[in-house]
């Protein structure tokens, strides 16, 4: 029996994690599904994930609004850790942190010697971790984000209601820009490189610039 982990990135159920669910898994808005999402654009029984030959196969159950995987409309598709499933107004990420790290290791290990030294070094380190079946996210976070070796910092505490609301607005803005960029990205089967439309790429660069300005303003209020 296969297992699958899904994390909701966008939609009414944003932030929910469905961890290590045994297949088959069905997703829809009706009770009786393995995962019931509160999304009126999702069909009653929208899609099914099942294991076959050690692979997870996604099948759209003739849904009204269809299913996308990595930006492409699909009927049947093998899904892997790190893939994005778009249904209705909801966006789901396949895999846990450590599951995705292992896929990064697999992809990076295929980079020819000398072609991309950093990617190959990352792949070798992640492969060593994956070979021990490590589920400790901190083991690999330093490779993926060397400035934050312990993962993202905690949210600030003791915020006033107004400050909490302002922080939510800021984080929601960041999350919306990233969502629009990732929803427009395409990764076709057999090609491990993701294609992003130029406007979405520029939106991400603009977001970085705005965050840089905010950080500077906070550090130097004058």
């Amino acid at each position: 029996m296969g297992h699958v982990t899904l994390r909701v990135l966008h939609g009414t159920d944003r932030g929910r994690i469905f961890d290590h669910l045994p297949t088959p898994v069905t997703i829809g808005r009706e009770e009786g599904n393995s995962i019931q999402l509160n999304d009126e654009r999702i069909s009653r029984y929208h899609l099914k994930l099942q294991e076959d030959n050690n692979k997870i196969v996604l099948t759209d159950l003739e849904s009204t609004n269809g299913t996308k995987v990595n930006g492409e409309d699909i009927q049947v598709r093998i899904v892997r850790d790190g893939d994005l499933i778009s249904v209705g107004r909801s966006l789901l990420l396949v895999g846990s942190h450590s599951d995705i790290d292992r896929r990064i290791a697999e992809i990076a290990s295929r980079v020819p010697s000398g072609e991309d030294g950093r990617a190959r070094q990352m792949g070798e380190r992640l492969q060593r971790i994956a070979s021990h079946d490590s589920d400790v996210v901190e083991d690999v976070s330093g490779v993926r984000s060397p400035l934050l070796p312990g993962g993202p910092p905690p949210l600030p505490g003791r915020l006033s209601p107004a400050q909490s609301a302002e922080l939510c607005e800021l984080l929601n803005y960041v999350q919306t820009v990233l969502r629009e960029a990732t929803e427009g990205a395409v990764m076709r089967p057999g090609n491990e490189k993701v294609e992003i439309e130029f406007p979405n790429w520029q939106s991400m660069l603009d977001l970085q610039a705005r965050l840089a300005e905010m950080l500077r303003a906070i550090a130097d209020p004058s």
Side-chain angles (χ1 to χ4, degrees):
M1 177 186 295
H3 292 80
V4 64
T5 293
L6 296 168
R7 290 180 277 164
V8 184
L9 302 186
H10 187 74
T12 306
D13 296 281
R14 181 175 63 183
R16 294 183 67 187
I17 299 175
F18 302 94
D19 189 33
H20 205 61
L21 297 180
T23 56
V25 170
T26 59
I27 298 176
R29 69 171 193 270
E30 284 281 309
E31 291 185 17
N33 285 286
S34 311
I35 297 176
Q36 182 183 13
L37 296 178
N38 184 22
D39 187 333
E40 72 277 7
R41 291 181 59 83
I42 291 177
S43 296
R44 293 169 59 238
Y45 295 92
H46 197 104
L47 65 85
K48 178 169 69 173
L49 296 160
Q50 57 191 342
E51 190 269 342
D52 185 51
N53 285 333
N54 296 320
K55 294 179 173 62
I56 301 297
V57 180
L58 184 154
T59 303
D60 181 89
L61 300 177
E62 300 184 358
S63 64
T64 302
N65 293 309
T67 300
K68 290 184 178 182
V69 174
N70 296 331
E72 288 194 314
D73 292 307
I74 63 95
Q75 181 61 42
V76 179
R77 171 69 64 85
I78 293 173
V79 294
R80 300 171 176 84
D81 296 319
D83 284 349
L84 286 173
I85 301 172
S86 179
V87 288
R89 293 188 172 91
S90 301
L91 191 64
L92 295 85
L93 177 63
V94 180
S96 66
H97 292 285
S98 54
D99 292 333
I100 294 172
D101 285 332
R102 277 187 272 273
R103 186 179 181 195
I104 293 173
E106 177 188 348
I107 294 172
S109 68
R110 298 201 296 266
V111 176
S113 178
E115 182 174 312
D116 189 336
R118 183 179 179 277
R120 191 161 189 83
Q121 289 177 4
M122 178 181 70
E124 290 172 353
R125 180 175 174 185
L126 291 173
Q127 275 189 314
R128 289 196 296 270
I129 295 168
S131 65
H132 291 87
D133 295 323
S134 172
D135 286 324
V136 181
V137 177
E138 288 77 4
D139 286 348
V140 295
S141 59
V143 179
R144 301 176 67 182
S145 182
L147 297 179
L148 296 171
L155 291 172
R158 299 182 181 179
L159 296 178
S160 70
Q163 290 172 326
S164 296
E166 289 173 343
L167 179 59
C168 284
E169 287 183 353
L170 175 59
L171 293 178
N172 190 63
Y173 169 76
V174 173
Q175 205 265 351
T176 299
V177 172
L178 296 176
R179 172 181 60 84
E180 291 179 353
T182 52
E183 282 189 333
V186 174
M187 186 173 75
R188 296 180 175 83
N191 184 358
E192 305 295 356
K193 292 187 177 180
V194 178
E195 300 174 6
I196 299 179
E197 294 291 338
F198 186 75
N200 291 335
W201 170 245
Q202 290 301 307
S203 294
M204 294 177 68
L205 295 180
D206 180 68
L207 174 61
Q208 290 187 55
R210 289 175 184 270
L211 291 176
E213 293 172 9
M214 291 179 188
L215 289 168
R216 185 175 182 85
I218 292 171
D220 185 10
S222 62

